Amino acid sequence: MGLLGPCWVRWHCVQKSAPQAALPAPTGIMTVPKEMPEKWARAGAPPSWSRKKPSWGTEEERRARANDREYNEKFQYASNCIKTSKYNILTFLPVNLFEQFQEVANTYFLFLLILQLIPQISSLSWFTTIVPLVLVLTITAVKDATDDYFRHKSDNQVNNRQSQVLINGILQQEQWMNVCVGDIIKLENNQFVAADLLLLSSSEPHGLCYIETAELDGETNMKVRQAIPITWELGDVSKLAKFDGEVICEPPNNKLDKFSGTLYWKESKFPLSNQNMLLRGCVLRNTEWCFGLVIFAGPDTKLMQNSGRTKFKRTSIDRLMNTLVLWIFGFLVCMGVILAIGNAIWEHEVGMRFQVYLPWDEAVDSAFFSGFLSFWSYIIILNTVVPISLYVSVEVIRLGHSYFINWDKKMFCAKKRTPAEARTTTLNEELGQVEYIFSDKTGTLTQNIMVFNKCSVHGRSYGDVFDVLGHKAEVGERPEPVDFSFNPLADQKFLFWDPTLLEAVKMGNPHVHEFFRLLSLCHTVMSEEKSEGELFYKAQSPDEGALVTAARNFGFVFRSRTPKTITVHELGTAVTYQLLAILDFNNIRKRMSVIVRNPEGKIRLYCKGADTILLDRLHPSAPELLASTTDHLNEYAGEGLRTLVLAYKDLDEEHYEEWADRRLQASLAQDSREDRLASVYEEIESDMTLLGATAIEDKLQQGVPETIALLTLANIKIWVLTGDKQETAVNIGYSCKMLTDDMSEVFVVTGHTVLEVREELRKAREKMVDPSRTVGNGFTCHESPSSPKLTSVLEAAVAGEYALVINGHSLAHALEADMELEFLETACACKAVICCRVTPLQKAQVVELVKKYKKAVTLAIGDGANDVSMIKTAHIGVGISGQEGIQAVLASDYSFSQFKFLQRLLLVHGRWSYLRMCKFLCYFFYKNFAFTMVHFWFGFFCGFSAQTVYDQYFITLYNIVYTSLPVLAMGVFDQDVPEQRSMEYPKLYEPGQLNLLFNKREFFICIAQGIYTSVLLFFVPYGVFAEATRDDGTQLADYQSFAVTVATSLVIVVSVQIGLDTGYWTAINHFFIWGSVAVYFAILFAMHSNGLFDMFPNQFRFVGNAQNTLAQPAVWLTIALTTVVCILPVVAFRFLKLSLRPDLSDTVRYTQLVRRKQKAQHRCMRRVGRAGSRRSGYAFSHQEGFGELIMSGKNMRLSSLALSSFTARSSSGWIESLRRKKSDGAGSPGGGADKPLKG
């Protein structure tokens, strides 16, 4: 690149004044290994004893010696091979079966199968259970094997990547999995870093190299790393082969931005910091080659330490069904016991008297033993209350819902040609129950594209375009953009719409020239010129790139830099400035400055930074300019733009020399170096002259504000977890409308100690409570983690809307065991939460905290490898297929290309999936209890002999043929309201969050209805048949006629019931429902036909029974009466409920019907805006800038939401009252994970 970069000047100055071995570290602090003897500390050589471990084997420190595998192997460090798969060929079958039989239902059916293999108690054939059980196990095993195969394939692809490793003095090609700690690796441009390396040397001057860290922190901008000076010259293989330095450093950990260690070499020691490390997952950029020493490999690397474990995800309905299966089994046992006791009593009192006619089996020697065998027989007969077809049907329905997501054209991104993808089929209904969304920022909410939008120069604002009447023109009404053809070095992609700014440049306006001169000089951008006039800028933050590009197009082109100079082409003339100092940015200063000497010898300081910081450091000589600029800042901030203030100061030579001496002394300080430098910087950055301000638009992804607004109306809380800086995240929060000026307060937690963080959280909770309302004694109830109703009390007492912003270092303390509840309590009481500067593991910890204490479904969405842990931890993980690779997509459960599709995924597909699954389960339990309980009532009239009411073929076909397809059609296609209404009325989503449609209460209602139906199905025909006669006067009652009548009544009743339950009729529903009834009659008549009797006389004995029975009018009247008495109460109840207490979906359907009749137009949408306020938001990079290294060598306005309001019905508040009831019933989280908070 021809650029001299970081650390050149600093080391140059230091080398003049002190021997190299005694120098302080350029970054970081030297650490002396634990238990190092004093003589080694003095001599600076490494200790030779072996690494010590505590008794439990945890690594205390890492020791790695270069080019000495034998020495390093004795520590038994992890290899560089990674493994994310779960099975291998030998373990797949036993492990997978073990996992599947952890499902209660599978164990239940296995137990029944074993019972059916015992001939003394089996009244049904064993194949009725084993075939569907094996089918379910096989389908699940194939799916698991397929998923694990792809994990193996991915692991092999990574582990078999090639890397150049220095072995025995020769560079050899080695697979990544064979790389060991202590090896020296050569990396070339655009290669991935194979392990965590200590940078030794590179092709760039002074050991510099440039990396991209998108896989780690989600940022696509460049980072700079530098080798320590002692190893700069080790670029030769022969020199590297002789390198035998030893590194002693911290043990493996997940802190991406920290590293502490020491290199011992040539009887000297050299401190190491994160600035010297290349982490696995990074990509080498703009550097021809570099060499590194492997410090951490494989699972010990920081990337893998931040990768969460793959967790088996199950929905809340799955967990509830496991509980219900246990309850049903208990109910089954109770029924079996009752019938067994009845059998024992009957055999003792009645059966003993005519054993000649009905003898006992040979194995039965007493009435008690007969009852014992009868118990197991009834267990088998009654097991159909939970048939295995339930689980097959659930998987089929989920598969159908997944295909609907995949086929949804409204979630297809034409620009990227990327469809939405359901990567799992087991979580669809949980999409309809989400309460918390945890979102990444960069690349998820934003495009990470910055645009220079407006500016204020010497009190005049530029950027707006006005028409002939003086009205501000909107984007679509603007004329052609400014023509920059006069500038051959202009970036053709840059667009600006206000021509007056370019005219001011051409007219020689000195203020405008100085404005762009500052932008072209005050930055840390790297310039690369691949061909004449073809410039490429590499910036640490997108903002810096946007500002330098703007200056470039307006004629002030940053061309190149050296450690001591910056060359700028000013309106075609090359001007070289001497770079005297860079006063770099950090989170406390919130500004950066450069001191340059122009060709005339004049020294000037240029500064840019946050308005809240910089305006206080201006000279008070121009109050009018300050006032007008402040007005412009307020205007820009009101539009959600990221603002920045520019100022300058002239320095005389003597003043600068004195200051430079003080700065040099501060930079050489052994302790408090950063504080001393900050104090020196404060001295010179004062009494500056205001030059102007910039406004940058951080482009959001399309539809983000509308999506967030819609999800918020659905009572979904959105937390942003980002690795970016606070100012950037807060500005995006305002742009997304997560944060608004209407909020009572935005709390910012930035404490560096446990006490500071605790105090800030306490003050935030105190401010959130309305002073007029008394909560405990001075809020002390919130300080005690054992106090009941912890969260519900605070949330109920909150007056107004609040937001919480917390930094990563503060979050580390807030997530500690003794403070996590206080943090959760405070955060959950806020409308919006933004966590800044968080590591990937902290993202996962925040998600886990909410999962642990809140009975709520969580969803995590991100686009980078730094989001993988969060995605794996949440109940549902969504990957955005963006600019940062596909790691997030591969780890996700669902993926698509834009954040705005999330609203459709949840409010349409998720809500429908939950609705359909709940209706399916309610109906399925109902129809099977109605079917099975008839056997129970029949037991009292057959001597408790385990005789079935229906014939065996009807029992086999009932769930497979007669009732399977109609309920599948309802489970796949049913809707309560159209998709447009689901988006229009987001409150429709709340029943899923409250789990209203299928819970224990709804289950018992279905069971009660099923039992009621079974009573009528048995006793109505029984009562009729007791007295009825045929047309010829003979007795109607016989076993087979009764069985046909009850079975026919059952099929008709459950078919009519599913017709009532179906809310959205399609041709498929009609065909399946009425077709199933027709198939029933066809099979019934076929089984009682002469043809089957002739072929199988032993199986089909009752020839003509169905025809004779159904030819009797009394039978049809019985069937009709049974159907009416079964269905009529259901119809009456639903009619009364719809009239007296309709739910929201009923109201929406009614509103839709009225609209159709009246053909009323939709109400006009109201534009939502917010008042302006001044904010600063300069997006510096994830870490501090590298200005010192160089010296050494939005908004998208919320558009009209597609929301319509409707007249509130008398029952409109029932969901809110239920939510309050749920919240009030929450227990204290202080008792541990078994007492979750509710909110």
Side-chain angles (χ1 to χ4, degrees):
M1 291 173 59
L3 300 177
L4 296 181
C7 288
W8 189 87
V9 169
R10 179 173 53 191
W11 280 99
H12 176 71
C13 297
V14 170
Q15 286 171 333
K16 289 182 179 180
S17 59
Q20 190 175 31
L23 294 179
T27 55
I29 300 174
M30 183 188 74
T31 57
V32 179
K34 297 179 180 179
E35 303 179 15
M36 176 179 283
E38 186 178 350
K39 62 179 181 178
W40 287 117
R42 287 195 302 266
S48 59
W49 65 88
S50 63
R51 176 184 60 161
K52 291 190 176 183
K53 292 184 179 181
S55 58
W56 58 87
T58 303
E59 186 175 344
E60 286 187 334
E61 63 185 20
R62 174 59 58 103
R63 303 169 65 90
R65 185 179 294 171
N67 296 314
D68 195 341
R69 284 193 172 186
E70 183 179 351
Y71 172 80
N72 297 321
E73 284 173 357
K74 68 181 180 180
F75 298 116
Q76 299 180 351
Y77 294 134
S79 70
N80 204 38
C81 180
I82 63 168
K83 179 183 177 183
T84 61
S85 56
K86 294 169 60 178
Y87 315 109
N88 57 42
I89 295 178
L90 297 178
T91 63
F92 173 73
L93 191 60
V95 173
N96 187 261
L97 287 177
F98 174 76
E99 290 177 346
Q100 290 201 58
F101 281 111
Q102 285 182 318
E103 292 281 349
V104 176
N106 289 340
T107 306
Y108 168 73
F109 292 120
L110 180 64
F111 172 70
L112 290 176
L113 175 62
I114 295 172
L115 291 181
Q116 286 182 285
L117 295 176
I118 304 174
Q120 286 79 8
I121 62 175
S122 178
S123 52
L124 294 174
S125 300
W126 58 269
F127 64 81
T128 59
T129 298
I130 193 171
V131 172
L133 177 61
V134 170
L135 180 64
V136 169
L137 295 177
T138 302
I139 291 174
T140 306
V142 169
K143 182 172 71 71
D144 292 342
T146 303
D147 292 343
D148 206 58
Y149 166 75
F150 287 110
R151 283 192 288 265
H152 272 286
K153 189 175 180 180
S154 176
D155 290 346
N156 291 334
Q157 182 180 0
V158 173
N159 290 329
N160 290 318
R161 286 177 179 172
Q162 296 294 311
S163 185
Q164 299 181 64
V165 182
L166 186 62
I167 301 177
N168 298 323
I170 303 173
L171 281 175
Q172 301 181 14
Q173 291 288 336
E174 280 283 353
Q175 294 174 329
W176 275 24
M177 60 183 177
N178 296 327
V179 172
C180 302
V181 172
D183 287 350
I184 293 178
I185 294 179
K186 181 181 181 180
L187 296 176
E188 295 180 347
N189 193 33
N190 296 326
Q191 282 188 347
F192 278 94
V193 179
D196 288 357
L197 309 177
L198 170 65
L199 179 61
L200 298 177
S201 60
S202 76
S203 58
E204 301 301 305
H206 312 292
L208 290 176
C209 76
Y210 304 89
I211 58 173
E212 185 180 280
T213 61
E215 298 291 337
L216 294 174
D217 55 28
E219 295 190 356
T220 55
N221 49 280
M222 291 294 205
K223 305 286 193 306
V224 176
R225 295 294 181 263
Q226 184 178 31
I228 59 174
I230 192 65
T231 63
W232 283 354
E233 304 303 324
L234 297 179
D236 206 58
V237 172
S238 58
K239 295 179 181 178
L240 285 166
K242 298 176 183 177
F243 177 64
D244 60 353
E246 182 171 356
V247 173
I248 300 179
C249 65
E250 61 189 19
N253 60 74
N254 54 40
K255 298 178 180 177
L256 294 175
D257 56 347
K258 293 184 179 179
F259 178 81
S260 181
T262 307
L263 171 66
Y264 294 87
W265 190 40
K266 295 183 178 179
E267 298 184 354
S268 299
K269 56 186 179 182
F270 308 91
L272 306 174
S273 72
N274 195 57
Q275 199 63 34
N276 312 122
M277 296 295 293
L278 305 180
L279 302 183
R280 178 174 180 143
C282 298
V283 181
L284 191 67
R285 299 292 192 198
N286 299 331
T287 306
E288 187 177 343
W289 55 261
C290 72
F291 286 95
L293 172 66
V294 178
I295 306 297
F296 301 119
D300 290 342
T301 59
K302 293 183 183 289
L303 176 66
M304 298 304 295
Q305 290 278 310
N306 273 283
S307 296
R309 295 181 60 186
T310 301
K311 298 182 180 180
F312 179 64
K313 296 183 178 182
R314 297 166 58 195
T315 67
S316 58
I317 287 182
D318 283 334
R319 293 188 290 271
L320 176 60
M321 283 176 59
N322 273 349
T323 302
L324 297 181
V325 167
L326 291 176
W327 287 4
I328 291 173
F329 184 73
F331 179 69
L332 186 61
V333 170
C334 291
M335 289 193 297
V337 169
I338 292 171
L339 294 170
I341 293 174
N343 177 266
I345 294 174
W346 191 90
E347 292 290 354
H348 183 269
E349 298 294 335
V350 181
M352 293 278 291
R353 299 178 184 177
F354 49 91
Q355 289 196 35
V356 175
Y357 179 67
L358 287 175
W360 289 348
D361 292 338
E362 293 180 3
V364 179
D365 56 2
S366 67
F368 174 80
F369 191 67
S370 175
F372 175 77
L373 294 179
S374 177
F375 169 79
W376 296 110
S377 297
Y378 272 113
I379 291 294
I380 295 174
I381 291 174
L382 300 175
N383 82 84
T384 50
V385 288
V386 186
I388 199 167
S389 60
L390 169 66
Y391 292 87
V392 178
S393 301
V394 165
E395 292 304 319
V396 171
I397 290 172
R398 286 172 171 169
L399 183 63
H401 296 169
S402 299
Y403 277 115
F404 287 155
I405 294 173
N406 296 343
W407 293 339
D408 191 344
K409 293 182 178 179
K410 294 182 180 179
M411 296 173 66
F412 177 80
C413 179
K415 182 178 180 180
K416 298 180 181 179
R417 300 193 62 78
T418 305
E421 180 182 6
R423 299 174 52 82
T424 180
T425 61
T426 59
L427 302 175
N428 294 326
E429 64 269 17
E430 197 127 274
L431 289 171
Q433 298 179 276
V434 174
E435 285 191 58
Y436 287 86
I437 292 177
F438 301 90
S439 175
D440 179 39
K441 180 190 72 69
T442 306
T444 303
L445 299 178
T446 70
Q447 302 178 37
N448 204 25
I449 299 175
M450 307 296 171
V451 177
F452 182 83
N453 194 290
K454 297 180 182 181
C455 64
S456 172
V457 183
H458 199 65
R460 179 176 177 181
S461 179
Y462 298 92
D464 288 323
V465 180
F466 299 91
D467 58 23
V468 292
L469 298 178
H471 298 138
K472 186 184 295 186
E474 297 296 332
V475 175
E477 303 169 351
R478 291 177 178 178
E480 291 297 317
V482 174
D483 181 13
F484 293 105
S485 58
F486 80 96
N487 182 1
L489 296 177
D491 186 344
Q492 300 302 319
K493 298 178 182 178
F494 179 84
L495 297 177
F496 197 77
W497 305 92
D498 185 358
T500 59
L501 183 58
L502 182 58
E503 292 171 5
V505 171
K506 293 181 177 180
M507 294 293 292
N509 186 315
H511 301 294
V512 174
H513 280 207
E514 198 67 16
F515 177 90
F516 285 116
R517 185 174 293 114
L518 185 152
L519 293 182
S520 66
L521 294 172
C522 186
H523 57 79
T524 56
V525 173
M526 302 291 182
S527 173
E528 182 179 4
E529 192 167 354
K530 294 184 177 180
S531 61
E532 183 64 28
E534 189 178 359
L535 291 175
F536 293 92
Y537 289 152
K538 301 297 181 182
Q540 272 195 298
S541 74
D543 292 58
E544 277 208 325
L547 293 174
V548 176
T549 300
R552 167 184 175 180
N553 274 54
F554 281 99
F556 289 75
V557 185
F558 163 63
R559 198 66 182 265
S560 63
R561 76 185 325 142
T562 70
K564 292 185 177 182
T565 64
I566 295 179
T567 300
V568 177
H569 280 216
E570 298 182 358
L571 300 176
T573 304
V575 181
T576 299
Y577 293 84
Q578 184 182 354
L579 181 60
L580 302 177
I582 293 181
L583 285 58
D584 213 349
F585 164 86
N586 64 35
N587 284 326
I588 298 173
R589 285 168 39 76
K590 292 184 172 62
R591 62 190 183 277
M592 76 161 293
S593 303
V594 294
I595 302 176
V596 297
R597 179 184 279 116
N598 63 18
E600 291 77 29
K602 187 176 181 180
I603 300 176
R604 177 167 286 185
L605 177 144
Y606 291 107
C607 182
K608 65 182 180 183
D611 50 9
T612 54
I613 300 296
L614 217 60
L615 294 181
D616 296 334
R617 288 166 172 75
L618 299 178
H619 194 278
S621 59
E624 297 84 3
L625 176 59
L626 177 61
S628 60
T629 305
T630 302
D631 291 339
H632 293 154
L633 287 169
N634 289 334
E635 178 188 343
Y636 301 157
E639 297 175 11
L641 303 178
R642 300 150 65 89
T643 57
L644 199 65
V645 173
L646 311 183
Y648 69 94
K649 179 181 180 179
D650 290 320
L651 305 174
D652 57 59
E653 191 75 33
E654 184 179 355
H655 181 203
Y656 167 73
E657 291 295 340
E658 292 177 358
W659 178 85
D661 289 339
R662 291 195 301 274
R663 175 175 176 265
L664 178 60
Q665 295 302 317
S667 65
L668 295 176
Q670 293 285 350
D671 57 333
S672 303
R673 175 175 175 270
E674 299 297 331
D675 293 338
R676 296 188 183 190
L677 280 174
S679 178
V680 173
Y681 293 167
E682 288 276 351
E683 294 178 16
I684 202 166
E685 291 174 327
S686 60
D687 294 331
M688 294 182 286
T689 301
L690 179 62
L691 190 54
T694 62
I696 291 178
E697 180 183 359
D698 184 1
K699 281 189 172 293
L700 293 173
Q701 288 196 15
Q702 184 182 1
V704 167
E706 292 87 346
T707 300
I708 290 178
L710 206 60
L711 295 177
T712 302
L713 290 174
N715 199 48
I716 298 175
K717 295 185 177 180
I718 301 177
W719 294 19
V720 173
L721 312 179
T722 176
D724 217 332
K725 64 188 290 288
Q726 176 184 313
E727 287 78 7
T728 307
V730 169
N731 273 274
I732 291 299
Y734 277 102
S735 299
C736 295
K737 306 302 178 185
M738 283 181 61
L739 306 179
T740 67
D741 288 336
D742 296 330
M743 285 182 166
S744 303
E745 188 167 350
V746 177
F747 302 112
V748 180
V749 179
T750 58
H752 287 77
T753 66
V754 174
L755 294 178
E756 290 177 356
V757 174
R758 190 187 301 275
E759 180 65 16
E760 291 178 5
L761 291 175
R762 184 188 64 80
K763 289 181 178 179
R765 292 196 299 275
E766 286 181 346
K767 290 183 179 180
M768 280 192 283
V769 177
D770 188 343
S772 64
R773 301 176 63 177
T774 303
V775 183
N777 180 15
F779 210 76
T780 55
C781 67
H782 300 299
E783 295 302 311
S784 171
S786 60
S787 63
K789 300 182 182 179
L790 186 66
T791 298
S792 58
V793 171
L794 177 60
E795 292 187 28
V798 168
E801 292 183 347
Y802 297 88
L804 178 69
V805 179
I806 184 169
N807 276 315
H809 54 77
S810 303
L811 185 62
H813 297 303
L815 292 176
E816 293 179 1
D818 61 340
M819 203 191 305
E820 60 181 12
L821 294 179
E822 296 180 45
F823 166 66
L824 182 65
E825 176 190 6
T826 309
C828 289
C830 295
K831 182 180 178 181
V833 178
I834 299 177
C835 301
C836 318
R837 294 291 193 186
V838 293
T839 65
L841 189 64
Q842 282 180 322
K843 292 184 178 184
Q845 288 172 338
V846 172
V847 176
E848 186 63 40
L849 180 65
V850 174
K851 284 180 61 180
K852 181 179 179 182
Y853 290 113
K854 304 286 287 181
K855 282 190 174 180
V857 176
T858 59
L859 180 147
I861 180 170
D863 71 322
N866 59 319
D867 303 314
V868 168
S869 297
M870 173 176 71
I871 287 172
K872 289 181 178 180
T873 303
H875 292 99
I876 301 169
V878 178
I880 299 287
S881 49
Q883 304 297 323
E884 300 180 16
I886 60 171
Q887 281 71 21
V889 171
L890 293 177
S892 67
D893 305 305
Y894 301 89
S895 67
F896 40 73
S897 60
Q898 294 185 42
F899 182 85
K900 68 176 181 179
F901 295 147
L902 184 61
Q903 59 178 312
R904 186 168 178 83
L905 181 70
L906 299 185
L907 301 185
V908 177
H909 292 288
R911 202 183 71 81
W912 277 353
S913 295
Y914 174 72
L915 170 75
R916 292 162 177 167
M917 185 60 68
C918 292
K919 293 182 73 171
F920 163 81
L921 292 173
C922 288
Y923 175 78
F924 207 98
F925 283 120
Y926 153 76
K927 76 180 182 68
N928 280 284
F929 266 81
F931 164 65
T932 305
M933 288 300 293
V934 173
H935 293 300
F936 180 78
W937 310 124
F938 184 59
F940 290 89
F941 297 89
C942 68
F944 305 97
S945 60
Q947 175 68 39
T948 60
V949 178
Y950 323 105
D951 65 72
Q952 181 172 326
Y953 297 102
F954 180 82
I955 294 174
T956 303
L957 297 175
Y958 176 74
N959 280 304
I960 298 176
V961 177
Y962 301 150
T963 61
S964 60
L965 294 180
V967 72
L968 279 178
M970 182 179 70
V972 172
F973 299 109
D974 201 46
Q975 304 173 16
D976 57 345
V977 297
E979 62 180 73
Q980 297 89 346
R981 299 294 176 261
S982 294
M983 303 282 283
E984 188 176 350
Y985 301 100
K987 283 291 182 182
L988 287 168
Y989 191 79
E990 289 196 13
Q993 297 172 325
L994 298 171
N995 203 22
L996 296 181
L997 302 186
F998 186 74
N999 48 41
K1000 294 172 184 176
R1001 176 178 175 273
E1002 293 296 323
F1003 170 73
F1004 284 121
I1005 291 175
C1006 297
I1007 298 309
Q1009 184 186 356
I1011 294 174
Y1012 165 78
T1013 302
S1014 71
V1015 170
L1016 296 176
L1017 284 171
F1018 178 78
F1019 286 103
V1020 171
Y1022 182 82
V1024 172
F1025 273 52
E1027 303 295 337
T1029 60
R1030 298 180 185 271
D1031 293 338
D1032 57 4
T1034 59
Q1035 183 70 25
L1036 178 61
D1038 64 71
Y1039 171 72
Q1040 277 299 317
S1041 297
F1042 180 76
V1044 168
T1045 303
V1046 173
T1048 304
S1049 300
L1050 173 65
V1051 171
I1052 292 177
V1053 167
V1054 297
S1055 297
V1056 173
Q1057 180 65 49
I1058 199 171
L1060 293 175
D1061 289 345
T1062 301
Y1064 181 72
W1065 284 88
T1066 65
I1068 296 176
N1069 293 87
H1070 282 289
F1071 178 76
F1072 282 172
I1073 292 176
W1074 314 126
S1076 295
V1077 175
V1079 168
Y1080 162 74
F1081 282 108
I1083 294 176
L1084 177 66
F1085 290 129
M1087 287 194 302
H1088 293 83
S1089 64
N1090 292 325
L1092 280 180
F1093 174 76
D1094 293 338
M1095 289 185 289
F1096 308 101
N1098 294 328
Q1099 299 294 326
F1100 302 97
R1101 301 186 182 94
F1102 304 98
V1103 181
N1105 179 70
Q1107 293 86 335
N1108 292 334
T1109 301
L1110 296 177
Q1112 303 299 318
V1115 172
W1116 283 108
L1117 288 173
T1118 302
I1119 294 172
L1121 176 62
T1122 305
T1123 303
V1124 169
V1125 295
C1126 287
I1127 297 300
L1128 189 59
V1130 177
V1131 174
F1133 173 79
R1134 294 189 180 181
F1135 175 78
L1136 291 174
K1137 180 179 179 295
L1138 189 63
S1139 301
L1140 302 177
R1141 197 182 180 187
D1143 57 29
L1144 187 57
S1145 61
D1146 297 328
T1147 307
V1148 171
R1149 284 196 298 270
Y1150 175 78
T1151 306
Q1152 185 179 2
L1153 183 62
V1154 171
R1155 286 176 175 176
R1156 285 178 181 174
K1157 290 181 178 180
Q1158 298 178 350
K1159 297 183 179 180
Q1161 297 182 351
H1162 290 287
R1163 294 182 176 89
C1164 296
M1165 305 299 124
R1166 182 171 60 90
R1167 188 175 180 86
V1168 180
R1170 70 178 184 86
S1173 69
R1174 191 176 80 242
R1175 292 190 320 279
S1176 172
Y1178 182 54
F1180 290 95
S1181 66
H1182 182 76
Q1183 301 189 7
E1184 293 191 10
F1186 49 83
E1188 189 171 359
L1189 297 178
I1190 294 174
M1191 287 297 297
S1192 63
K1194 140 178 172 20
N1195 179 42
M1196 199 182 229
R1197 284 187 177 274
L1198 182 59
S1199 63
S1200 300
L1201 297 176
L1203 303 172
S1204 296
S1205 60
F1206 58 90
T1207 304
R1209 301 291 294 264
S1210 59
S1211 62
S1212 60
W1214 72 280
I1215 287 183
E1216 290 302 323
S1217 63
L1218 186 62
R1219 182 177 295 282
R1220 287 195 295 271
K1221 181 178 178 182
K1222 176 185 175 185
S1223 179
D1224 292 340
S1228 166
D1234 58 332
K1235 295 182 180 180
L1237 297 176
K1238 296 181 181 179

